[in-house]
């Protein structure tokens, strides 16, 4: 059997992962582009800025802007002016987001459990270690 390039396998895995997550979040009006990641961080850190989201989640600014707008349109977050910086907006979860937070976490927990279901606990730790090792920023 020919060995597939690592980059190709990671790319394939990422696409499959995103398709499955989109299906799981569709009933809740949460779309693609990592919206669940943005919502989770905003819920855990009320008052975070869009720039902080971009930096912490390692998305580009355009993806962050689209996701924030969609989450706002779906009623999950609201923007408030930053009293210390007129150019900046602070992002807060709405009651809808706070109520949804345990459901979001449950979906992600179940998904991650299924993701590694074929691996032993040692293999899971090895995979986590290796993925963290190759995903550190070199910039």
């Amino acid at each position: 059997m020919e060995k597939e390039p690592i980059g190709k396998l990671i790319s394939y895995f990422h696409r499959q992962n995103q398709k499955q997550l989109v299906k799981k979040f569709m009933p809740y009006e949460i779309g693609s582009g990592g919206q669940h990641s943005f919502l989770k961080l905003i819920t855990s850190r009320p008052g975070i800025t869009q720039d902080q989201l971009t930096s912490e989640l390692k998305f580009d600014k355009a993806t962050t802007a689209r996701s924030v707008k969609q989450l706002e349109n779906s009623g999950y977050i609201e923007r408030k002016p930053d009293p210390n910086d007129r150019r900046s907006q602070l992002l807060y979860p709405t009651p809808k987001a706070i109520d949804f937070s345990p459901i979001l976490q449950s979906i992600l927990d179940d998904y991650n459990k299924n993701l590694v279901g074929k691996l032993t606990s040692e293999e899971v730790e090895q995979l986590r270690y290796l993925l963290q090792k190759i995903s550190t920023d070199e910039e």
Side-chain angles (χ1 to χ4, degrees):
M1 174 165 61
E2 184 180 332
K3 291 183 181 180
E4 293 286 347
I6 298 292
K8 182 178 178 180
L9 291 170
I10 291 172
S11 179
Y12 172 76
F13 179 77
H14 175 71
R15 286 191 310 274
Q16 294 305 316
N17 181 47
Q18 290 307 303
K19 282 196 275 188
Q20 291 177 24
L21 284 174
V22 165
K23 285 180 189 174
K24 290 184 181 303
F25 289 122
M26 195 177 300
Y28 304 101
E29 298 179 69
I30 295 177
S32 61
Q35 286 182 29
H36 63 282
S37 298
F38 291 105
L39 182 57
K40 187 173 176 185
L41 187 54
I42 293 167
T43 302
S44 69
R45 299 244 323 266
I48 194 169
T49 67
Q50 214 164 288
D51 283 342
Q52 288 170 322
L53 281 176
T54 298
S55 176
E56 289 189 35
L57 294 176
K58 311 277 190 257
F59 281 93
D60 60 72
K61 287 184 178 189
T63 299
T64 301
R66 270 191 311 276
S67 292
V68 165
K69 184 69 174 162
Q70 290 170 338
L71 288 169
E72 185 178 32
N73 290 343
S74 296
Y76 284 105
I77 65 167
E78 59 184 352
R79 301 174 202 240
K80 294 181 181 177
D82 184 343
N84 300 317
D85 183 355
R86 293 179 302 147
R87 300 166 296 157
S88 186
Q89 301 259 316
L90 304 178
L91 306 172
Y92 291 91
T94 63
K96 178 180 180 178
I98 293 166
D99 290 344
F100 179 65
S101 186
I103 298 167
L104 171 64
Q105 191 59 55
S106 176
I107 290 170
L108 292 173
D109 288 346
D110 289 346
Y111 183 73
N112 280 305
K113 190 183 298 179
N114 290 334
L115 201 61
V116 296
K118 297 176 182 175
L119 303 177
T120 66
S121 58
E122 292 81 18
E123 288 171 330
V124 170
E125 287 308 312
Q126 183 180 25
L127 177 62
R128 181 178 287 119
Y129 169 78
L130 292 171
L131 289 172
Q132 287 174 337
K133 187 174 181 176
I134 65 172
S135 68
T136 56
D137 288 338
E138 298 286 332
E139 295 174 35

